[in-house]
Amino acid sequence: MDGLIRNITFHAGINFIVDETPPLEILATGNNVGKTTVLQLIDFCLGASAKGIYTDPENKRNEDLKVKNYLIDKEVLITLTLTSDLESPFAEELVIERNFLPRKKQIRRINGEHLTEDAFEERLTNQLFLNHYGKKPTFRQLISHNIRYKDQSVNNTLKTLDSFTRDEEYEALYLFLLGCSFDDGDSKQTVLSQIRIETAFKNRLESKQTRSAYEASLSLLEGEIQRLDAQRSSLNTNPNLEDDLKALDKVRYEISVSGSKLSRLNLRRNLIQEAVQEVQSSTANIDIEQLKSLYSEVSAKLGKLNRKFSELVEFHNKMVNEKTRYIKKELPQLEAQIIEFSARLDQLRTTERELTKKLATSGSFEELEKIVVKLNEKHQKKGEYEIIIEQITAVEKNLKNLNEKLEGIDVLIFSDKFQAQVQERVNLFNKYFSEVSRELYGEEYALKFDIGITRTGQRVYKFSAFNTNFSSGKKQGEITCFDIAYTFFADNEKIPCYHFLLSDKKELMHDNQLVNIATLVERECKHVQFVASILRDKLPPALNKDEYFCIRLSQSDKLFRIEQHTS
């Protein structure tokens, strides 16, 4: 170990991470000194992956081996200290420690306690949002607007999650952030999960053709089978041979039907088991005794609580268990059917071998054999088509029932009363949003919502910000206004939130905008830390002062100081 590499102190108000490299030198070196990495390290301590610190964001396969090896070989430890009050030396603190080593050497601690990955996320979640672990939106989703260094969050005001995030996840996120709650939120997520399972199963069944196409093909097959049966009858002069061939046709048809049925039963069982694992992963396994002191402290501050902490945890886990039981209720019947069809298939194959052996010695004609081969192929296809049609029909029935159940939930969520509640919260937030944007830009930004339709046909709340300005600087300003306004809103509505805002690429903003932000933060946000990375030569004179800097970097003094420690 080489001792302390950096000690960065963040104060209330503006905190600039400054790159002091001269402009001409930046062009020559590529400006890679670690400004963004400071933000990434804070995010890392809050549960982000370590790979982002030494991986190219545009190409995940490209790693900066120099940085990666340094972090591992030197056993670099990152420590982040969060405080409940910036001004009080006696305020409650949360000390988070993480390193980059694998397995047993890995450090993941909170206030000195080693934690597993799940327990780490649980502790962070419940520290900010009591009893929220295992629910949606997740902790990482809830703090996504506080930490903006990835392109998605740097360039979008509300779309702060990855590009694969579903509309219903954004719906849950912003309803939660606005303080809009509804009792059927978990039920809706369960039903939507089941709808996705059934839809995925239906898509697999119809990967080649739709049900109507299978029905049309089945009708044609039945006609071809009748024609081949007529040809075979005209060629056969042996009554016993005819009976044996019919028996073989029947057995092979039943083998095809049973095999297809068994395959789809196994597929459905696997999909249900995957869904069960997904639901069970959200169970809250909380050490009641360990958090007893925290619960007591909350009770002391807020007064006597209506429910014990253990009762809340037990209630949540019962909800998860009930979801699991509901999804698993079909499994016993599926297992019984799988056993039944497996045994039936073995019996049919034994019969097929006996008939095939018998017919091999019957001396059939060559042309008759060709017809029999064709008939076998047609019967096999017929069996496959009938099973697929049966499965598609069952899935469509299930989807209809699930969508009816979802519609029942949506009657409440999209009722006039609930929409009015959402609109009331949006209007309240917009008072802060418009005031902040008016002061910074002389314009008024606002949040709005519409009721849209997802790709799978479900109704969903879609939130967006008014924005008629498409320049990079103005977009950066809209994002900053939103983040500051939300902090005001959350504090006044007693909604838990972090009071630090981390932003990258602030050199895209105009000088006047930066000065206005600094003025607003210094005057109105004494408890807020606005942390931004920026090139020093892009700073306006009014902000180019040591009192606003939390760290200075340059080509000769990069963040990790690898050159100094390895020379």
Side-chain angles (χ1 to χ4, degrees):
M1 297 294 294
D2 292 317
L4 184 66
I5 300 174
R6 294 277 185 185
N7 183 15
I8 306 174
T9 301
F10 299 96
H11 50 265
I14 296 293
N15 293 260
F16 283 133
I17 303 165
V18 177
D19 181 357
E20 297 187 312
T21 306
L24 293 178
E25 192 175 334
I26 288 176
L27 294 175
T29 60
N31 187 31
N32 184 20
V33 300
K35 297 194 311 299
T36 303
T37 307
V38 176
L39 308 181
Q40 290 175 315
L41 290 175
I42 296 173
D43 198 21
F44 172 61
C45 287
L46 295 171
S49 170
K51 290 185 177 180
I53 294 167
Y54 49 77
T55 302
D56 184 346
E58 296 182 0
N59 187 347
K60 302 299 183 183
R61 295 182 179 181
N62 290 345
E63 293 184 343
D64 189 333
L65 294 179
K66 184 178 181 181
V67 172
K68 180 181 179 180
N69 293 337
Y70 174 79
L71 294 173
I72 294 173
D73 294 343
K74 297 293 183 179
E75 300 185 13
V76 173
L77 179 69
I78 310 299
T79 302
L80 175 68
T81 301
L82 304 181
T83 179
S84 59
D85 189 338
L86 290 169
E87 297 180 355
S88 173
F90 306 106
E92 178 188 359
E93 291 187 345
L94 198 71
V95 180
I96 304 168
E97 299 170 284
R98 290 192 70 183
N99 69 357
F100 302 88
L101 300 180
R103 302 180 186 88
K104 293 183 178 181
K105 292 186 176 181
Q106 187 175 83
I107 293 175
R108 190 190 289 109
R109 291 192 296 245
I110 295 181
N111 288 346
E113 180 182 357
H114 287 275
L115 299 169
T116 64
E117 185 174 355
D118 289 341
F120 184 80
E121 182 181 353
E122 179 181 328
R123 182 72 63 84
L124 288 176
T125 303
N126 292 331
Q127 180 73 19
L128 188 60
F129 308 100
L130 187 62
N131 296 335
H132 187 73
Y133 178 70
K135 300 178 183 179
K136 296 294 183 69
T138 66
F139 171 75
R140 296 288 302 163
Q141 290 173 335
L142 287 167
I143 66 169
S144 60
H145 79 96
N146 291 90
I147 307 171
R148 296 178 182 268
Y149 62 84
K150 296 180 181 179
D151 287 343
Q152 180 77 9
S153 58
V154 166
N155 298 319
N156 294 278
T157 304
L158 303 181
K159 299 287 186 179
T160 54
L161 308 178
D162 64 62
S163 56
F164 300 103
T165 304
R166 294 187 292 267
D167 288 335
E168 56 264 30
E169 291 183 90
Y170 275 118
E171 175 191 60
L173 173 60
Y174 284 102
L175 286 177
F176 186 94
L177 289 177
L178 288 169
C180 302
S181 60
F182 49 91
D183 295 335
D184 291 311
D186 285 339
S187 299
K188 180 176 181 179
Q189 293 300 316
T190 300
V191 173
L192 286 171
S193 176
Q194 292 173 319
I195 288 175
R196 284 193 290 272
I197 292 173
E198 295 292 345
T199 302
F201 187 42
K202 184 174 185 291
N203 290 339
R204 292 186 192 183
L205 292 173
E206 293 188 308
S207 60
K208 294 180 180 179
Q209 296 187 81
T210 62
R211 186 182 72 171
S212 61
Y214 279 115
E215 289 173 341
S217 299
L218 179 61
S219 177
L220 293 175
L221 272 174
E222 290 172 341
E224 292 177 9
I225 289 172
Q226 291 177 0
R227 178 177 58 80
L228 289 169
D229 276 335
Q231 289 181 7
R232 185 180 63 178
S233 297
S234 66
L235 291 173
N236 182 34
T237 57
N238 184 344
N240 293 330
L241 179 61
E242 177 68 20
D243 292 340
D244 291 341
L245 287 171
K246 285 183 178 179
L248 183 60
D249 286 345
K250 183 179 179 181
V251 167
R252 286 177 171 168
Y253 170 74
E254 290 179 1
I255 288 174
S256 174
V257 171
S258 297
S260 297
K261 182 73 174 179
L262 182 61
S263 175
R264 284 163 180 81
L265 286 171
N266 281 318
L267 174 60
R268 185 165 188 82
R269 179 182 63 182
N270 293 340
L271 286 170
I272 291 175
Q273 289 173 340
E274 291 173 6
V276 169
Q277 291 176 0
E278 180 181 348
V279 172
Q280 288 179 335
S281 67
S282 69
T283 303
N285 298 314
I286 300 176
D287 185 341
I288 304 302
E289 293 300 322
Q290 187 178 7
L291 296 183
K292 186 176 181 180
S293 61
L294 174 62
Y295 185 80
S296 299
E297 183 178 346
V298 174
S299 299
K301 291 183 178 179
L302 300 183
K304 185 176 180 181
L305 302 181
N306 293 329
R307 296 292 180 187
K308 294 181 179 179
F309 185 76
S310 58
E311 290 176 342
L312 297 178
V313 176
E314 182 182 4
F315 174 73
H316 168 66
N317 286 339
K318 282 182 179 178
M319 288 179 61
V320 175
N321 291 335
E322 183 61 22
K323 293 179 191 176
T324 303
R325 185 196 64 76
Y326 181 82
I327 296 173
K328 289 173 63 176
K329 68 179 182 180
E330 190 182 349
L331 279 178
Q333 181 183 357
L334 284 174
E335 295 289 356
Q337 289 178 321
I338 288 171
I339 293 172
E340 177 187 350
F341 276 92
S342 296
R344 176 63 176 159
L345 201 55
D346 290 340
Q347 182 184 359
L348 288 170
R349 285 170 176 161
T350 300
T351 304
E352 180 190 35
R353 287 193 296 271
E354 293 173 354
L355 287 171
T356 301
K357 183 178 180 181
K358 183 178 178 181
L359 286 169
T361 60
S362 64
S364 58
F365 299 101
E366 181 180 349
E367 188 174 351
L368 183 60
E369 290 177 342
K370 292 180 179 179
I371 293 174
V372 170
V373 170
K374 290 181 180 179
L375 273 170
N376 289 339
E377 293 174 353
K378 301 301 180 184
H379 278 293
Q380 183 178 352
K381 282 188 177 181
K382 179 185 176 184
E384 291 177 358
Y385 289 176
E386 286 178 339
I387 292 299
I388 291 174
I389 291 169
E390 178 185 335
Q391 292 288 325
I392 293 174
T393 302
V395 168
E396 288 176 343
K397 182 179 178 180
N398 290 340
L399 282 172
K400 181 181 177 182
N401 293 336
L402 288 168
N403 280 308
E404 287 176 354
K405 186 179 293 186
L406 182 63
E407 186 63 28
I409 296 172
D410 284 351
V411 166
L412 299 175
I413 297 176
F414 296 101
S415 65
D416 292 342
K417 181 179 179 180
F418 190 78
Q419 287 187 52
Q421 179 190 347
V422 176
Q423 187 63 63
E424 180 184 354
R425 305 299 289 181
V426 167
N427 292 344
L428 184 58
F429 169 76
N430 281 336
K431 290 181 180 179
Y432 301 98
F433 198 9
S434 61
E435 286 176 6
V436 171
S437 58
R438 190 186 309 117
E439 175 162 348
L440 295 185
Y441 304 111
E443 300 177 1
E444 291 189 351
Y445 294 133
L447 184 70
K448 71 181 182 72
F449 73 90
D450 299 292
I451 297 176
I453 303 296
T454 67
R455 287 177 294 180
T456 52
Q458 283 82 40
R459 285 185 293 174
V460 66
Y461 284 97
K462 291 189 175 183
F463 293 88
S464 57
F466 289 98
N467 177 21
T468 57
N469 306 289
F470 297 101
S471 68
S472 298
K474 281 293 179 70
K475 191 65 181 179
Q476 289 285 309
E478 177 186 292
I479 291 169
T480 301
C481 289
F482 175 87
D483 292 341
I484 294 175
Y486 182 76
T487 305
F488 288 156
F489 167 80
D491 283 350
N492 280 277
E493 295 303 308
K494 309 302 181 186
I495 299 173
C497 71
Y498 281 144
H499 288 80
F500 53 82
L501 303 173
L502 315 182
S503 303
D504 197 13
K505 301 180 180 178
K506 285 307 176 189
E507 54 266 10
L508 295 175
M509 297 182 68
H510 190 276
D511 286 1
N512 291 338
Q513 296 172 5
L514 283 172
V515 172
N516 289 341
I517 289 172
T519 302
L520 176 65
V521 170
E522 290 294 318
R523 187 183 74 245
E524 303 290 346
C525 312
K526 300 287 185 185
H527 60 302
V528 172
Q529 293 167 303
F530 187 84
V531 184
S533 63
I534 194 167
L535 298 171
R536 183 163 187 175
D537 70 297
K538 299 295 183 181
L539 279 171
L543 299 180
N544 199 347
K545 300 177 181 178
D546 290 346
E547 62 191 86
Y548 295 122
F549 301 166
C550 62
I551 182 174
R552 301 182 184 192
L553 302 171
S554 66
Q555 289 297 322
S556 60
D557 188 19
K558 296 184 179 182
L559 178 64
F560 291 122
R561 292 172 168 163
I562 296 176
E563 290 76 12
Q564 291 94 316
H565 286 86
T566 56
S567 62

